[in-house]
């Protein structure tokens, strides 16, 4: 199995709405075909220059054809949203879960306002091309688990296949896209692509197998009450417990459950210290079985994953075999741009070196061979819970651990690709002709 990840240059298109004197945002500004085509050529150029796996899943010939076809579809005038919806299916063909097209903060704000008046009254869970009610925010009595056959005259299969074209994901798996739709993005993408209205007509399957037309009315939305304030140290502790938490199920002897919702707790504490504390506790309690729950872990810092592996591995191991990029410094990064200073420091001779013909290597701690810890190293059985939302650094951790140690994986296919992922440095790109703003992710 190939164990590696690349430097990511993740391209987010951020649009800019215009604000009139009274402060009212005008989201429907039309850009001319000349401006839009200039922006498109710029986007294509930087993808072809700097994306580390532009042709990993889709051949250069096919991508070139897709670029040309999309270019020809640019209209005489288009809004930010229309242009974004044109670009999204093109970018998803790269099959990189970290490369996406995003609207400006102004447009996202307007979308949130729109969603309040055009919200779907039902939430869903997905099973292949079938849709089932997972949440009912309507005044109608609709049983959870009821199958939905159509929305506004469109079959559920058509809707799902259409929406998936707009969502990025690693490789060929569709499960990650469905997980994103289930976790709040279905309504956003549905309204963007199919349009919204105050009331929607659904066709559902009744308990006796018949199709029934319904037009459920949305309940008035009640704003959640603000929780009482707590002391800063209590809030920090609560946040950390949501990110990582070690418990001991009473139903199973000699077993511990380590739940890690994100590899991002280094923002609040020393992961070196907390890992040492956790594994020291496991040794003191003579724990024989360790369950690591990564089902909601969308990734984060690879060095956190590396440190965890040092407590789990018995021999020398590799988390990341190599981190490569096709360029040293991407042309879209300007050295005098304050917002890109962090990227500029990363794209430096100290961090990057030429490693092979036409490629550059990132010199970071997680790359290469590592030795496990001697102190508090876990010697029992390891079980890892995974799902479609196990992504990026979490997916790399699972793949590397499974490839080099006898562990048991329980759950569903992860959101990461087997061939590694694009990660490390995330940059936003400004499309210049429309005066778009840059935001870092």
């Amino acid at each position: 199995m190939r164990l590696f990840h690349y430097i990511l240059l993740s391209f987010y298109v951020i649009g800019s709405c215009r604000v009139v004197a009274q402060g009212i945002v005008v989201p429907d500004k039309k850009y001319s075909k000349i401006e839009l085509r200039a922006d498109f050529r710029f986007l294509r150029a930087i993808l072809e220059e700097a994306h580390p796996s532009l042709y990993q899943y889709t051949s250069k010939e096919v991508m070139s054809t897709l670029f040309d076809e999309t270019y020809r579809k640019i209209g005489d005038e288009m809004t930010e949203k229309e242009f974004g919806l044109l670009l999204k299916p093109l970018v998803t063909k790269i099959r990189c879960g970290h490369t996406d097209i995003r609207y400006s903060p102004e447009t996202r704000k307007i979308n949130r306002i729109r969603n309040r008046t055009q919200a779907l009254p039902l939430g869903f869970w997905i099973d292949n091309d079938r849709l089932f009610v997972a949440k009912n925010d309507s005044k109608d009595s609709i049983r959870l688990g009821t199958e939905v056959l159509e929305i506004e005259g469109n079959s559920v299969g058509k809707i799902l296949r259409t929406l998936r074209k707009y969502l990025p994901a690693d490789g060929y798996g569709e499960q990650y896209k469905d997980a994103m739709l289930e976790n709040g993005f279905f309504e956003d993408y549905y309204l963007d692509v199919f349009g919204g209205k105050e009331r929607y007509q659904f066709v559902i399957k009744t308990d006796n197998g018949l199709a029934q037309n319904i037009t459920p009315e949305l309940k008035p939305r009640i704003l959640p009450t603000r929780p009482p304030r707590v002391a800063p140290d209590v809030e920090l502790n609560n946040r950390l417990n949501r990110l990582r938490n070690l418990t001991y199920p009473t139903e199973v002897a000699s077993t511990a459950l380590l739940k890690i919702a994100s590899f991002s707790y280094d923002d609040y504490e020393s992961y070196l210290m907390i890992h040492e504390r956790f594994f020291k506790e496991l040794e003191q309690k003579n724990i024989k079985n360790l369950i690591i729950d990564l089902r909601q872990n969308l990734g984060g810092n690879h060095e956190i994953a590396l440190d965890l592996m040092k407590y789990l591995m018995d021999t020398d191991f590799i988390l990341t075999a190599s981190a490569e990029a096709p360029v040293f410094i991407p042309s879209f990064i300007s050295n005098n741009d304050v917002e890109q200073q962090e990227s500029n420091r990363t794209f430096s001779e100290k961090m990057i070196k030429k490693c092979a013909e036409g490629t550059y290597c990132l010199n970071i701690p997680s790359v290469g061979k590592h030795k496990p810890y001697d102190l508090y190293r876990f010697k029992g059985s390891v079980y890892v819970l995974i799902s479609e939302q196990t992504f990026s650094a979490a997916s790399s951790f699972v793949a590397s651990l499974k490839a080099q140690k006898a562990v048991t994986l329980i759950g569903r296919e992860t959101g990461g690709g087997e061939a590694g992922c694009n990660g490390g440095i995330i940059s936003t790109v400004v499309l210049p002709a429309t005066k778009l703003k840059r935001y870092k992710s």
Side-chain angles (χ1 to χ4, degrees), residues 148-169:
V148 178
L149 305 176
E150 294 181 8
I151 305 175
E152 287 295 310
N154 293 307
S155 71
V156 160
K158 175 186 175 182
I159 292 170
L160 290 173
R161 289 189 294 271
T162 300
L163 297 186
R164 290 177 187 133
K165 295 177 182 178
Y166 293 85
L167 282 108

Side-chain angles (χ1 to χ4, degrees), residues 285-310:
K285 291 180 177 290
N286 196 29
I287 296 298
K288 303 298 183 185
N289 305 295
L290 175 60
I291 303 169
I292 304 176
D293 187 351
L294 302 178
R295 287 176 295 177
Q296 307 297 318
N297 193 321
L298 292 172
N301 187 350
H302 267 81
E303 293 181 31
I304 293 179
L306 172 65
D307 195 63
L308 276 176
M309 287 192 71
K310 290 181 179 181

Side-chain angles (χ1 to χ4, degrees), residues 20 65 72 79 87-88 91 94 109 118 121 135 162-163 204 213 244 252 268 289 298 314 318 343 355 369 380:
V20 299
T65 300
R72 289 193 292 268
T79 65
L87 295 179
K88 276 179 175 285
V91 171
I94 301 172
K109 180 178 180 181
Q118 300 180 353
K135 183 177 68 170
T162 300
L163 297 186
I204 62 172
N213 288 290
R244 85 296 173 275
V252 188
Y268 310 102
N289 305 295
L298 292 172
D314 301 315
I318 294 174
S343 291
C355 58
K369 186 173 289 188

Side-chain angles (χ1 to χ4, degrees), residues 115-116 118-124 133-144 182 184 187 198-200 202 214-222:
N115 290 0
R116 295 171 190 166
Q118 300 180 353
L120 293 169
L122 304 175
F124 310 103
V133 176
K135 183 177 68 170
N136 181 10
D137 287 332
S138 78
K139 296 180 179 180
D140 296 49
S141 178
I142 302 172
R143 180 179 55 82
L144 299 185
E182 288 176 342
E187 181 175 88
E198 290 187 7
R199 296 280 293 273
Y200 298 87
F202 297 83
I214 61 171
T215 310
E217 183 180 356
L218 184 69
K219 292 178 183 176
R221 292 202 169 178
I222 302 174

Side-chain angles (χ1 to χ4, degrees), residues 317-330:
F317 67 93
I318 294 174
L319 171 63
T320 306
S322 65
E324 302 174 354
V327 294
F328 177 49
I329 299 179

Side-chain angles (χ1 to χ4, degrees), residues 9-10 32 68 77 107 140 147 175 214 245 256 262 287 295 302 313 338 378 405 424 427:
L9 305 169
S10 184
S32 70
D68 294 339
E77 289 185 326
T107 293
D140 296 49
E147 184 172 4
Q175 294 85 353
I214 61 171
N245 191 27
S262 172
I287 296 298
R295 287 176 295 177
H302 267 81
M313 297 300 298
V338 175
F378 185 72
K405 182 180 174 67
S427 299

Side-chain angles (χ1 to χ4, degrees), residues 98 176 180 261-262 294 296-300 388-394:
H98 292 84
Y176 176 74
M180 294 300 101
S262 172
L294 302 178
Q296 307 297 318
N297 193 321
L298 292 172
E388 302 91 336
Q389 294 182 76
T390 309
F391 184 64
S392 192

Side-chain angles (χ1 to χ4, degrees), residues 125 143 176 196 205 227 251 294 361 371 405:
W125 62 271
R143 180 179 55 82
Y176 176 74
K205 181 184 286 187
E251 304 87 350
L294 302 178
C361 293
K371 291 184 177 297
K405 182 180 174 67

